[in-house]
């Protein structure tokens, strides 16, 4: 498995956002500490997901930054991504592992120790845990679990835990103190006036 960076950038493809411009700003700042997860809206076509993922893989390659694809594992395979990420409504972790193969990076979403342990046993390389704080990036999410919820999960598993949901440079240190290995962000970078500076601030909060 490729080394896992501590700052996970999830692409924001909502109207008015420019995920490739944000990525171009973040890559030279974060370099090896970055992981990029291609996530598209539910109504995006597979072709749209493929076109975005292909461009992300090409941008990441010179920096040796792994690209993962959320949900659409066939797209991950098609573009030669380093792996994928599955949520609760996606393929089961064990099935996703069979699709991607033994050496791919496979992330899974969890918010409690039991689900987290099951995901790791089924083959997850790391866990995306949250939402940690309130976020407007995605609708229909359960209540935030906060640092206490992160601490409960990290105590139950031995893979990296990546905190997600309303993460900022201000609250990242508390999530690390709760045992998180790193953080995943959407709006903290896609909504920033200066994504490069925002990347540097997040890295500083992570102690990188």
């Amino acid at each position: 498995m490729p080394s896992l960076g501590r700052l996970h950038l999830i692409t924001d493809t909502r109207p008015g956002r420019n995920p490739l411009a944000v990525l171009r700003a973040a890559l030279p700042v974060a370099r090896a500490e970055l992981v990029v997860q291609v996530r598209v809206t539910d109504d995006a076509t597979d072709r749209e997901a493929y076109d975005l993922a292909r461009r992300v893989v090409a941008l990441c390659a010179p920096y040796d930054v792994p690209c993962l694809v959320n949900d659409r594992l066939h797209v991950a395979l098609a573009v030669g991504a380093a792996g994928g990420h599955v949520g609760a409504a996606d393929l089961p972790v064990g099935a996703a592992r069979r699709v991607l193969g033994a050496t791919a990076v496979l992330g899974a979403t969890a918010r409690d120790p039991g689900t987290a342990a099951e995901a790791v046993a089924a083959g997850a390389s790391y866990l995306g845990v949250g939402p940690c704080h309130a976020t407007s990036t995605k609708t229909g999410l359960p209540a935030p679990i906060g640092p206490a919820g992160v601490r409960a999960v990290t105590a139950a598993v031995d893979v990296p835990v990546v905190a997600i949901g309303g993460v900022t440079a201000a609250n990242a240190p508390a999530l690390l103190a709760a045992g998180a290995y790193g953080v995943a962000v959407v709006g903290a970078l896609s909504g920033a006036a200066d994504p490069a500076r925002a990347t540097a601030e997040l890295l500083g909060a992570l102690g990188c």
Side-chain angles (χ1 to χ4, degrees):
M1 185 183 86
S3 60
L4 196 67
R6 297 177 67 192
L7 177 60
H8 291 223
L9 167 58
I10 300 177
T11 58
D12 190 348
T13 60
R14 293 174 296 172
R17 305 294 188 173
N18 189 334
L20 294 178
V22 173
L23 177 57
R24 290 189 186 99
L27 275 167
V29 178
R31 294 183 170 267
E33 290 296 344
L34 193 66
V35 175
V36 183
Q37 185 186 136
V38 175
R39 187 168 79 186
V40 295
T41 55
D42 290 341
D43 61 350
T45 65
D46 281 349
R47 182 57 182 266
E48 289 170 333
Y50 170 82
D51 287 341
L52 176 59
R54 180 176 52 83
R55 296 176 73 180
V56 169
V57 167
L59 287 172
C60 288
Y63 298 91
D64 200 26
V65 165
C67 168
L68 311 178
V69 177
N70 183 282
D71 178 15
R72 307 189 194 202
L73 302 186
H74 56 301
V75 173
L77 294 172
V79 301
H85 186 101
V86 290
D90 301 330
L91 277 179
V93 176
R97 174 54 74 194
R98 289 192 292 275
V99 170
L100 293 176
T103 61
V105 179
L106 175 57
T109 298
R111 59 181 277 109
D112 62 78
T115 304
E118 290 173 3
V120 173
S125 310
Y126 76 92
L127 298 175
V129 175
C132 296
H133 300 286
T135 175
S136 60
T137 301
K138 212 174 181 182
T139 59
L141 293 174
I145 61 174
V150 173
R151 184 175 293 108
V153 172
T154 59
V157 298
D158 58 1
V159 300
V161 166
V162 177
I164 184 171
V167 176
T168 65
N171 61 36
L175 298 171
L176 292 186
Y181 170 81
V183 299
V185 297
V186 183
L189 290 182
S190 72
D194 185 344
R197 180 177 178 179
T199 298
E201 291 173 349
L202 280 163
L203 291 172
L206 294 172
C208 300

